Amino acid sequence: MLLILKPDKEQLGRAGAHIVAGAIRRNPKIRLGLATGSTMLTFYKELVRLHREESLDFSGIVTFNLDEYLGLPATHPESFHYFMHENLFRHVNAKPENIHIPDGTVTENYDRYCSSYEQAIRDAGGIDLQILGIGRNGHIGFNEPTSSLGSRTRIKVLTKETIDDNRKSFQPGEKVPECAVTMGIGTILEARRILLLASGSSKANSIAQAIEGPVTASVTASALQHHPDVTFIVDQEAGANLKHHDYYARVLRLTSELTPERI
Ligand code: GLP
């Protein structure tokens, strides 16, 4: 586990984007797992800037998004399809046929649909680098507390806490989705490398529990402790409850000397 601490959200987004840009440059056909949420805004903004100003080429990449609200069409401004289009895809040269986002409009045969999403990931050769945010309750994707740590892509019922967090982005009075299609924890853990970004004081508890707490389905991000290659980038506020700061700083310093391309 590598922890990179940044002063604020701007620098966190830039640091994440530079790791991903390095990975794309090393492997132009990289398969990326992508995430949504407000934490990702500075990250995608910097990727777009690198495309425009430093010729970062997205034409060979293949992407799989983590999740989507059930019941929202791609045209809905709060859908993750819309978010990805607005914040990344319409600004870069990724090929539409290489972009995969779970379909929130499925209305039947959910298991079959979710298995087909898993199959598409396998057919592409698996995910090389998975980007994650984290929920206030420690969820990754929409894997709410008590999700099986071996879970696969499926429909998940959202907790009240998550629905309340999501409500802030919807119009007053508008119905907020109660369910989502999400990659499972088992799906996420199969990615070869994982990069999790967290910003703000509302994430301080979940980050401390994910990194330093016990592995538990009550904080699904803690399952990342079982993954061999995870990098967390957190800002000061999100890292405020971590205890082993000196150790993380030494790991970062020595890793950047030994394998600078990772950072
Ligand atoms: C949603 C997404 C998660 C994301 C989380 C955090 O729950 N399903 O993938 O990590 O939001 O969002 P934000 O960055 O807005 O706090």
Side-chain angles (χ1 to χ4, degrees), residues 173-215:
E174 196 179 3
K175 193 174 172 343
V176 182
E178 290 195 57
C179 298
V181 190
T182 182
M183 282 187 201
I185 302 292
T187 322
I188 291 168
L189 290 177
E190 278 173 11
R192 294 175 185 94
R193 184 177 180 192
I194 294 178
L195 181 60
L196 186 148
L197 308 184
S199 163
S201 54
S202 67
K203 307 296 172 64
N205 273 336
S206 55
I207 281 295
Q209 288 178 303
I211 295 177
E212 297 175 341
V215 174

Side-chain angles (χ1 to χ4, degrees), residues 29-246:
K29 294 188 172 173
I30 194 167
R31 288 139 306 193
L32 292 176
L34 296 178
T36 55
S38 56
T39 311
M40 298 298 147
L41 293 173
T42 54
F43 165 73
Y44 288 128
K45 191 168 135 212
E46 178 66 2
L47 281 179
V48 170
R49 191 195 68 77
L50 289 169
H51 171 67
R52 287 192 178 140
E53 296 175 17
E54 298 183 27
S55 325
L56 183 62
D57 182 14
F58 288 77
S59 64
I61 70 162
V62 177
T63 68
F64 290 91
N65 263 78
L66 276 169
D67 47 12
E68 177 59 285
Y69 290 119
L70 195 64
L72 291 196
T75 50
H76 191 290
E78 291 313 321
S79 74
F80 293 164
H81 277 76
Y82 194 90
F83 178 101
M84 291 307 301
H85 182 71
E86 283 302 303
N87 291 297
L88 182 67
F89 294 132
R90 81 184 176 90
H91 306 287
V92 299
N93 63 336
K95 296 208 173 95
E97 64 270 29
N98 290 341
I99 295 169
H100 307 82
I101 304 176
D103 181 1
T105 66
V106 277
T107 52
E108 56 184 9
N109 296 322
Y110 297 110
D111 287 353
R112 197 162 70 200
Y113 174 71
C114 293
S115 303
S116 74
Y117 198 70
E118 291 270 330
Q119 191 58 46
I121 295 173
R122 275 193 292 274
D123 290 348
I127 291 171
D128 298 304
L129 176 55
Q130 174 68 56
I131 313 304
L132 297 174
I134 188 168
R136 206 154 47 94
N137 62 11
H139 71 212
I140 47 178
F142 268 132
N143 293 284
E144 298 285 42
T146 73
S147 291
S148 155
L149 299 186
S151 51
R152 313 300 310 189
T153 301
R154 68 212 183 291
I155 305 295
K156 194 72 199 162
V157 175
L158 305 181
T159 61
K160 297 266 304 168
E161 186 181 23
T162 298
I163 294 170
D164 285 346
D165 284 347
N166 298 340
R167 180 167 288 121
K168 293 168 196 142
S169 319
F170 283 75
Q171 296 298 320
E174 196 179 3
K175 193 174 172 343
V176 182
E178 290 195 57
C179 298
V181 190
T182 182
M183 282 187 201
I185 302 292
T187 322
I188 291 168
L189 290 177
E190 278 173 11
R192 294 175 185 94
R193 184 177 180 192
I194 294 178
L195 181 60
L196 186 148
L197 308 184
S199 163
S201 54
S202 67
K203 307 296 172 64
N205 273 336
S206 55
I207 281 295
Q209 288 178 303
I211 295 177
E212 297 175 341
V215 174
T216 167
S218 297
V219 181
T220 55
S222 66
L224 300 176
Q225 292 176 31
H226 280 302
H227 193 278
D229 192 353
V230 184
T231 300
F232 286 82
I233 310 184
V234 308
D235 66 12
Q236 291 288 354
E237 288 185 345
N241 292 357
L242 288 164
K243 293 192 181 75
H244 303 286
H245 278 287
D246 293 349

